[in-house]
Amino acid sequence: MKAQPPAVSIAAHNSDNRARLKQQREQLLLQLAQQILQQEGFAGLTMDRLTAASEVSKGTIYNHFCSKEDLITALSVDSLQRQLLLFQQALSVSGHSRERALALHYAYFLFSTTEPTLFLCLLSAATPAVVEKSSASRLAQRQALEQQLLGFCQQVIRQALAENAISLQGGCSIEELTYLQWAQAFGANALYRPAQQMGFFQGLAQQQLVLAGVNLMLDGLGWRPLSADFDYQSCWQRIALALQQQAPQAQS
Amino acid sequence: MKAQPPAVSIAAHNSDNRARLKQQREQLLLQLAQQILQQEGFAGLTMDRLTAASEVSKGTIYNHFCSKEDLITALSVDSLQRQLLLFQQALSVSGHSRERALALHYAYFLFSTTEPTLFLCLLSAATPAVVEKSSASRLAQRQALEQQLLGFCQQVIRQALAENAISLQGGCSIEELTYLQWAQAFGANALYRPAQQMGFFQGLAQQQLVLAGVNLMLDGLGWRPLSADFDYQSCWQRIALALQQQAPQAQS
DNA sequence: TGACTATTATGACGATTCGTCAATTTACTC
DNA sequence: GAGTAAATTGACGAATCGTCATAATAGTCA
């Protein structure tokens, strides 16, 4: 009958604490997994090895990730969270809307080069073998994050419409444009290494390719100012400085 | 001392026969593997299952593929060979150069939808876990085929230059353009399913997206005639008819 | 404090799958 | 038809996955 506020608050506090600690450990496990991936490659990442590297037992690890593939998906979720941070910074770039669109592409490119392992996780996580064995909750997490990222892109396009930098003629929706930007960025960044490895282009920097691709698309769309009327090369470098100086301290 | 032409020729004939039979069996194994993938998913493809489905033993299968991953890469090689056939047909489309470029994109799109499983193999084969465990010879095969495919794209761009449909200003090389086309096509086709599954666009056909993406890029490049001056929608449908009627009988 | 309960962690273990290899069969030569 | 080279087989060892009975820990209540 008596009120029990202390008990409740303590319980709440403890369970919060529990959750927080569990979260922290999961983060640590992801960090270790990433490290193993870098050192031993994807073929070298085994649950036993992760167990050995960590301070907990295998059972506990399986308490976090329902399968090895779920671990990969978790790494991709981590990737997307970092991308989100970069995108937020990119959105704060000043100037006209197309500069901000460029900033988003730069953020994507930056992530793909500074965290190549995580970027590859993103690719692997798109693979059916991984999707099939990942937990529903984690797949939902990934989906939610991707939607957020695409939301940022849509935001910039809406800005462009608002300032009359583009006009959507011919049944071309915002979603469609967003998707095509995404596809372009994904393709240009994901295929760079394979293409380079097969000696397709020598000494052609990924940066230049990505920038050229974006300009091609945005010019085709008629997003003003066109690349003929504006120096997007130096704009790109300005963005690079703005984003890179904040990147290093990322890690929590 | 005596000449032995018959022996030599018989030996040659036999070894040729051997190689041919082996090739045939490999093709059969690939077909079975593809079937298993379709029915059981990537997680359901095991070497034992493939062994059970085939008429040969596991050892013989490992005589063809050095690992399970090598099998995936082999499937991707098969994919590329089929793409090659489609590309050849696409190149024979009449009209101006941009129509032929569109035909190549259509061929790529067509393959991604008519053979979704093989297309996913292509994606999986780009994954480090698969590359790391595939044989060098098969990776080389894949690379060679990809180069051939890109060669077709470059050919069309050279045609465009020859007929003055585009001009390469600003240090934009043929390789660069080819790469960006490839990236766009890859991204737009590979991301369609995931995007649709997360409900990003409803009722928006993959075809329309791909076409819109290509037009955006080629317009941005100034590849004449621009989409404002030519009906690429109906051109696309014409190409569809031309390529699709020949597709069904593919299989050797 | 100490007995009791709920939650979490452990790592030995069974199950699955991979990849190998000694023994055997088949194909070919003389 | 004896002898040799090449290919096939499938039982087996090795590696990895994922589970679960047991143990430890944290939390609750008298």
Side-chain angles (χ1 to χ4, degrees), chain B residues 203-238:
Chain B
L204 200 46
Q206 187 174 349
Q207 286 203 44
Q208 296 311 316
L209 277 170
V210 171
L211 175 58
V214 178
N215 276 332
L216 231 49
M217 287 214 80
L218 300 190
D219 281 348
L221 186 59
W223 193 325
R224 286 172 296 270
L226 298 181
S227 67
D229 308 324
F230 193 88
D231 186 358
Y232 286 110
Q233 178 78 36
S234 60
C235 172
W236 181 262
Q237 279 157 4
R238 191 164 53 79

Side-chain angles (χ1 to χ4, degrees), chain A residues 18-30:
Chain A
R18 280 295 185 84
R20 200 175 50 77
L21 285 174
K22 187 166 183 180
Q23 187 68 23
Q24 266 180 18
R25 188 171 52 193
E26 187 157 317
Q27 212 55 36
L28 183 65
L29 287 173
L30 288 176

Side-chain angles (χ1 to χ4, degrees), chain B residues 146-207:
Chain B
E146 275 172 349
Q147 267 167 340
Q148 273 188 70
L149 285 171
L150 289 177
F152 283 163
C153 301
Q154 289 176 288
Q155 203 175 316
V156 174
I157 293 180
R158 273 194 225 94
Q159 287 174 8
L161 282 170
E163 59 191 52
N164 262 312
I166 54 171
S167 60
L168 258 50
Q169 73 275 44
C172 193
S173 66
I174 293 183
E175 282 76 20
E176 193 171 339
L177 281 184
T178 303
Y179 179 75
L180 292 176
Q181 301 280 321
W182 182 27
Q184 165 71 35
F186 175 72
N189 287 294
L191 295 179
Y192 184 74
R193 285 234 204 168
Q196 182 174 249
Q197 196 188 350
M198 71 194 249
F200 188 62
F201 30 63
Q202 297 94 339
L204 200 46
Q206 187 174 349
Q207 286 203 44

Side-chain angles (χ1 to χ4, degrees), chain A residues 118-137:
Chain A
L118 286 181
F119 192 74
L120 285 173
C121 284
L122 225 44
L123 184 68
S124 300
T127 272
V130 172
V131 173
E132 287 167 9
K133 301 192 79 180
S134 292
S135 70
S137 62

Side-chain angles (χ1 to χ4, degrees), chain A residues 41-43 128 132 143 146-147 175-176 179-180 182-184 186-188 191-192 198 200-201 209 212-213 216-217 220, chain B residues 41-43 128 132 143 146-147 175-176 179-180 182-184 186-188 191-192 198 200-201 209 212-213 216-217 220:
Chain A
F42 275 72
E132 287 167 9
Q143 193 166 306
E146 275 172 349
Q147 267 166 340
E175 283 76 21
E176 191 171 339
Y179 179 75
L180 292 176
W182 181 26
Q184 166 71 35
F186 175 71
L191 295 179
Y192 184 74
M198 71 194 247
F200 188 61
F201 31 62
L209 277 170
L216 230 51
M217 288 215 81
Chain B
F42 275 71
E132 287 166 9
Q143 191 166 306
E146 275 172 349
Q147 267 167 340
E175 282 76 20
E176 193 171 339
Y179 179 75
L180 292 176
W182 182 27
Q184 165 71 35
F186 175 72
L191 295 179
Y192 184 74
M198 71 194 249
F200 188 62
F201 30 63
L209 277 170
L216 231 49
M217 287 214 80

Side-chain angles (χ1 to χ4, degrees), chain A residues 35-97:
Chain A
Q35 215 168 303
I36 293 173
L37 280 181
Q38 275 160 5
Q39 287 167 8
E40 319 274 346
F42 275 72
L45 176 64
T46 68
M47 296 307 253
D48 284 321
R49 206 186 290 260
L50 179 58
T51 300
S54 76
E55 310 239 301
V56 295
S57 70
K58 188 148 48 150
T60 299
I61 287 180
Y62 272 92
N63 217 348
H64 284 274
F65 314 105
C66 75
S67 70
K68 183 185 167 179
E69 286 75 18
D70 199 45
L71 172 64
I72 298 288
T73 301
L75 281 168
S76 79
V77 166
D78 195 49
S79 296
L80 291 173
Q81 280 167 344
R82 297 189 195 200
Q83 275 190 43
L84 207 67
L85 293 178
L86 282 174
F87 271 39
Q88 276 166 342
Q89 288 178 27
L91 273 192
S92 70
V93 160
S94 63
H96 52 258
S97 59

